[in-house]
Short mmCIF file of all heavy atoms in Angstrom, two decimals:
data_model
loop_
_atom_site.label_atom_id
_atom_site.label_comp_id
_atom_site.label_asym_id
_atom_site.label_seq_id
_atom_site.Cartn_x
_atom_site.Cartn_y
_atom_site.Cartn_z
N ASP A 3 -7.36 -14.92 39.44
CA ASP A 3 -6.59 -14.88 38.17
C ASP A 3 -7.44 -14.30 37.01
O ASP A 3 -6.97 -13.55 36.19
CB ASP A 3 -6.10 -16.26 37.81
CG ASP A 3 -4.92 -16.64 38.66
OD1 ASP A 3 -4.39 -15.73 39.38
OD2 ASP A 3 -4.49 -17.80 38.61
N LEU A 4 -8.70 -14.74 36.97
CA LEU A 4 -9.57 -14.28 35.88
C LEU A 4 -9.76 -12.76 35.94
O LEU A 4 -9.67 -12.06 34.90
CB LEU A 4 -10.94 -15.01 35.98
CG LEU A 4 -12.00 -14.51 34.96
CD1 LEU A 4 -11.56 -14.82 33.53
CD2 LEU A 4 -13.35 -15.15 35.25
N GLU A 5 -10.03 -12.31 37.18
CA GLU A 5 -10.24 -10.84 37.31
C GLU A 5 -8.97 -10.05 36.96
O GLU A 5 -9.02 -9.00 36.33
CB GLU A 5 -10.65 -10.56 38.81
CG GLU A 5 -12.09 -11.01 39.09
CD GLU A 5 -12.43 -11.16 40.54
OE1 GLU A 5 -11.46 -11.15 41.35
OE2 GLU A 5 -13.62 -11.36 40.82
N LYS A 6 -7.85 -10.58 37.35
CA LYS A 6 -6.57 -9.94 36.97
C LYS A 6 -6.42 -9.88 35.46
O LYS A 6 -5.95 -8.90 34.90
CB LYS A 6 -5.34 -10.69 37.60
CG LYS A 6 -5.14 -10.33 39.03
CD LYS A 6 -3.92 -11.11 39.56
CE LYS A 6 -3.87 -11.03 41.06
NZ LYS A 6 -3.15 -12.17 41.66
N LYS A 7 -6.76 -10.95 34.77
CA LYS A 7 -6.67 -11.00 33.33
C LYS A 7 -7.62 -9.95 32.69
O LYS A 7 -7.20 -9.28 31.72
CB LYS A 7 -7.09 -12.41 32.87
CG LYS A 7 -6.89 -12.69 31.42
CD LYS A 7 -5.48 -12.97 31.07
CE LYS A 7 -5.19 -12.55 29.63
NZ LYS A 7 -3.79 -12.49 29.29
N VAL A 8 -8.79 -9.82 33.22
CA VAL A 8 -9.75 -8.84 32.74
C VAL A 8 -9.17 -7.42 32.90
O VAL A 8 -9.23 -6.58 32.03
CB VAL A 8 -11.13 -9.01 33.44
CG1 VAL A 8 -12.03 -7.80 33.11
CG2 VAL A 8 -11.78 -10.33 33.03
N VAL A 9 -8.60 -7.19 34.08
CA VAL A 9 -8.00 -5.87 34.33
C VAL A 9 -6.88 -5.60 33.31
O VAL A 9 -6.76 -4.49 32.75
CB VAL A 9 -7.45 -5.78 35.74
CG1 VAL A 9 -6.53 -4.57 35.96
CG2 VAL A 9 -8.59 -5.73 36.76
N ASP A 10 -6.07 -6.62 33.05
CA ASP A 10 -4.96 -6.46 32.05
C ASP A 10 -5.49 -6.08 30.71
O ASP A 10 -5.00 -5.16 30.03
CB ASP A 10 -4.17 -7.78 31.93
CG ASP A 10 -3.26 -8.00 33.09
OD1 ASP A 10 -3.01 -7.04 33.87
OD2 ASP A 10 -2.73 -9.13 33.25
N LEU A 11 -6.60 -6.76 30.29
CA LEU A 11 -7.16 -6.49 28.96
C LEU A 11 -7.78 -5.08 28.87
O LEU A 11 -7.54 -4.37 27.89
CB LEU A 11 -8.27 -7.51 28.63
CG LEU A 11 -7.75 -8.88 28.20
CD1 LEU A 11 -8.96 -9.82 28.00
CD2 LEU A 11 -6.93 -8.82 26.94
N ILE A 12 -8.41 -4.71 29.96
CA ILE A 12 -9.02 -3.33 29.94
C ILE A 12 -7.90 -2.28 29.91
O ILE A 12 -8.00 -1.30 29.20
CB ILE A 12 -9.95 -3.15 31.19
CG1 ILE A 12 -11.20 -4.06 31.05
CG2 ILE A 12 -10.34 -1.69 31.39
CD1 ILE A 12 -12.09 -4.12 32.22
N ALA A 13 -6.85 -2.55 30.68
CA ALA A 13 -5.72 -1.59 30.70
C ALA A 13 -5.03 -1.52 29.34
O ALA A 13 -4.57 -0.45 28.97
CB ALA A 13 -4.73 -2.02 31.79
N GLU A 14 -5.03 -2.61 28.65
CA GLU A 14 -4.43 -2.61 27.30
C GLU A 14 -5.23 -1.70 26.32
O GLU A 14 -4.61 -0.99 25.50
CB GLU A 14 -4.41 -4.08 26.78
CG GLU A 14 -3.35 -4.30 25.74
CD GLU A 14 -3.31 -5.74 25.30
OE1 GLU A 14 -3.58 -6.63 26.15
OE2 GLU A 14 -3.00 -6.01 24.10
N VAL A 15 -6.53 -1.72 26.50
CA VAL A 15 -7.35 -0.96 25.55
C VAL A 15 -7.39 0.55 25.91
O VAL A 15 -7.32 1.42 25.05
CB VAL A 15 -8.83 -1.49 25.58
CG1 VAL A 15 -9.73 -0.55 24.84
CG2 VAL A 15 -8.84 -2.88 24.98
N LEU A 16 -7.51 0.82 27.25
CA LEU A 16 -7.65 2.24 27.62
C LEU A 16 -6.31 2.93 27.81
O LEU A 16 -5.62 2.76 28.84
CB LEU A 16 -8.49 2.32 28.93
CG LEU A 16 -9.93 1.72 28.83
CD1 LEU A 16 -10.61 1.72 30.16
CD2 LEU A 16 -10.75 2.48 27.77
N VAL A 17 -5.94 3.67 26.80
CA VAL A 17 -4.60 4.25 26.67
C VAL A 17 -4.29 5.14 27.88
O VAL A 17 -3.14 5.21 28.34
CB VAL A 17 -4.52 5.01 25.35
CG1 VAL A 17 -3.22 5.78 25.25
CG2 VAL A 17 -4.67 4.09 24.18
N ASP A 18 -5.30 5.91 28.36
CA ASP A 18 -5.03 6.91 29.37
C ASP A 18 -5.20 6.37 30.82
O ASP A 18 -5.03 7.14 31.77
CB ASP A 18 -5.98 8.11 29.21
CG ASP A 18 -5.76 8.74 27.82
OD1 ASP A 18 -4.61 8.77 27.38
OD2 ASP A 18 -6.76 9.16 27.21
N VAL A 19 -5.47 5.09 30.96
CA VAL A 19 -5.76 4.56 32.32
C VAL A 19 -4.60 3.68 32.79
O VAL A 19 -4.17 2.78 32.05
CB VAL A 19 -7.08 3.77 32.35
CG1 VAL A 19 -7.34 3.17 33.72
CG2 VAL A 19 -8.24 4.71 31.95
N ASN A 20 -4.12 3.93 34.00
CA ASN A 20 -3.07 3.04 34.56
C ASN A 20 -3.74 1.85 35.22
O ASN A 20 -4.77 1.96 35.84
CB ASN A 20 -2.32 3.78 35.65
CG ASN A 20 -1.23 4.74 35.01
OD1 ASN A 20 -0.70 4.42 33.95
ND2 ASN A 20 -1.06 5.87 35.62
N LYS A 21 -3.06 0.72 35.08
CA LYS A 21 -3.62 -0.54 35.58
C LYS A 21 -3.93 -0.42 37.09
O LYS A 21 -4.93 -0.95 37.56
CB LYS A 21 -2.62 -1.69 35.34
CG LYS A 21 -3.26 -3.03 35.23
CD LYS A 21 -2.28 -4.05 34.67
CE LYS A 21 -1.60 -4.78 35.76
NZ LYS A 21 -0.70 -5.82 35.25
N GLU A 22 -3.06 0.24 37.77
CA GLU A 22 -3.18 0.38 39.26
C GLU A 22 -4.53 1.08 39.66
O GLU A 22 -5.02 0.90 40.77
CB GLU A 22 -2.03 1.20 39.88
CG GLU A 22 -0.70 0.54 39.71
CD GLU A 22 -0.14 0.57 38.26
OE1 GLU A 22 -0.29 1.62 37.60
OE2 GLU A 22 0.39 -0.42 37.81
N ASN A 23 -5.07 1.86 38.74
CA ASN A 23 -6.31 2.60 39.03
C ASN A 23 -7.56 1.84 38.70
O ASN A 23 -8.66 2.41 38.74
CB ASN A 23 -6.26 3.94 38.29
CG ASN A 23 -5.11 4.81 38.74
OD1 ASN A 23 -4.60 4.65 39.88
ND2 ASN A 23 -4.65 5.71 37.90
N ILE A 24 -7.38 0.61 38.23
CA ILE A 24 -8.59 -0.12 37.87
C ILE A 24 -8.98 -1.06 39.04
O ILE A 24 -8.21 -1.92 39.40
CB ILE A 24 -8.37 -0.98 36.57
CG1 ILE A 24 -7.97 -0.02 35.44
CG2 ILE A 24 -9.63 -1.78 36.20
CD1 ILE A 24 -7.61 -0.77 34.15
N GLN A 25 -10.15 -0.83 39.60
CA GLN A 25 -10.69 -1.65 40.69
C GLN A 25 -11.84 -2.56 40.19
O GLN A 25 -12.37 -2.30 39.14
CB GLN A 25 -11.24 -0.74 41.83
CG GLN A 25 -10.33 0.41 42.23
CD GLN A 25 -9.04 -0.09 42.83
OE1 GLN A 25 -8.95 -1.15 43.41
NE2 GLN A 25 -7.97 0.68 42.68
N LEU A 26 -12.14 -3.54 40.99
CA LEU A 26 -13.20 -4.48 40.57
C LEU A 26 -14.54 -3.76 40.39
O LEU A 26 -15.32 -4.09 39.55
CB LEU A 26 -13.37 -5.62 41.59
CG LEU A 26 -12.39 -6.77 41.44
CD1 LEU A 26 -12.62 -7.80 42.52
CD2 LEU A 26 -12.47 -7.37 40.06
N ASP A 27 -14.79 -2.72 41.27
CA ASP A 27 -16.06 -2.01 41.16
C ASP A 27 -15.98 -0.79 40.27
O ASP A 27 -16.92 0.02 40.19
CB ASP A 27 -16.63 -1.66 42.54
CG ASP A 27 -15.65 -0.79 43.33
OD1 ASP A 27 -14.53 -0.52 42.78
OD2 ASP A 27 -16.00 -0.35 44.47
N SER A 28 -14.85 -0.57 39.56
CA SER A 28 -14.76 0.55 38.62
C SER A 28 -15.78 0.37 37.52
O SER A 28 -15.88 -0.69 36.92
CB SER A 28 -13.35 0.63 37.99
OG SER A 28 -12.32 0.75 38.96
N LYS A 29 -16.55 1.45 37.22
CA LYS A 29 -17.47 1.41 36.10
C LYS A 29 -16.68 1.76 34.84
O LYS A 29 -15.98 2.80 34.81
CB LYS A 29 -18.59 2.41 36.33
CG LYS A 29 -19.51 1.96 37.45
CD LYS A 29 -20.74 2.83 37.53
CE LYS A 29 -21.72 2.26 38.55
NZ LYS A 29 -22.81 3.20 38.85
N ILE A 30 -16.83 0.90 33.85
CA ILE A 30 -15.92 0.99 32.64
C ILE A 30 -16.15 2.29 31.93
O ILE A 30 -15.13 2.88 31.44
CB ILE A 30 -16.12 -0.30 31.78
CG1 ILE A 30 -15.66 -1.50 32.54
CG2 ILE A 30 -15.37 -0.14 30.47
CD1 ILE A 30 -16.06 -2.84 31.92
#
Side-chain angles (χ1 to χ4, degrees):
Chain A
D3 284 350
L4 175 65
E5 288 161 349
K6 279 182 195 154
K7 186 78 207 166
V8 170
V9 168
D10 284 346
L11 284 178
I12 292 172
E14 202 176 328
V15 170
L16 299 175
V17 175
D18 300 323
V19 176
N20 283 325
K21 207 168 95 175
E22 296 72 41
N23 298 334
I24 303 176
Q25 312 295 332
L26 278 180
D27 59 356
S28 300
K29 289 186 174 171
I30 294 168

